[in-house]
């Protein structure tokens, strides 16, 4: 199962989790995250693969973007 989690400003109360069976759908949804949204300072989006590998995007309000594999 593929899992996307989205958290604003390290606030676990704002955490959103979405689960997908289809890899293509999970990657398409992950690609839709392009900015910090409603976060005060930064937003973190993770895509976790069934094998444990994780892709991470961190969006900072000042415009910086970090993508990790």
């Amino acid at each position: 199962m593929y899992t996307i989690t989205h958290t604003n400003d390290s606030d676990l109360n704002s955490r959103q989790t979405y689960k997908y069976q289809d890899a293509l759908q999970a990657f398409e949804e992950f690609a839709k995250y392009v900015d910090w949204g409603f976060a005060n300072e930064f937003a973190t989006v993770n895509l976790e693969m069934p094998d444990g590998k994780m892709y991470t995007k961190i969006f900072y309000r000042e415009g910086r973007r970090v993508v990790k594999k």
Side-chain angles (χ1 to χ4, degrees):
M1 181 162 300
Y2 299 84
T3 305
I4 294 177
T5 56
H6 176 220
T7 307
N8 290 335
D9 305 311
S10 298
D11 179 11
L12 294 181
N13 292 328
S14 70
R15 179 181 224 159
Q16 299 171 329
T17 303
Y18 306 97
K19 297 187 181 285
Y20 303 90
Q21 293 291 334
D22 181 53
L24 181 58
Q25 184 182 13
F27 275 99
E28 286 175 343
E29 292 300 315
F30 184 68
K32 289 180 182 178
Y33 288 93
V34 294
D35 64 20
W36 61 86
F38 294 107
N40 292 325
E41 295 189 28
F42 66 94
T44 305
V45 182
N46 295 307
L47 170 60
E48 185 176 356
M49 312 289 282
D51 63 1
K53 186 173 183 177
M54 186 176 292
Y55 295 91
T56 301
K57 292 181 182 181
I58 304 171
F59 299 100
Y60 292 91
R61 192 161 186 85
E62 84 270 350
R64 208 171 16 128
R65 184 178 117 173
V66 178
V67 178
K68 299 179 183 180
K69 287 188 194 181

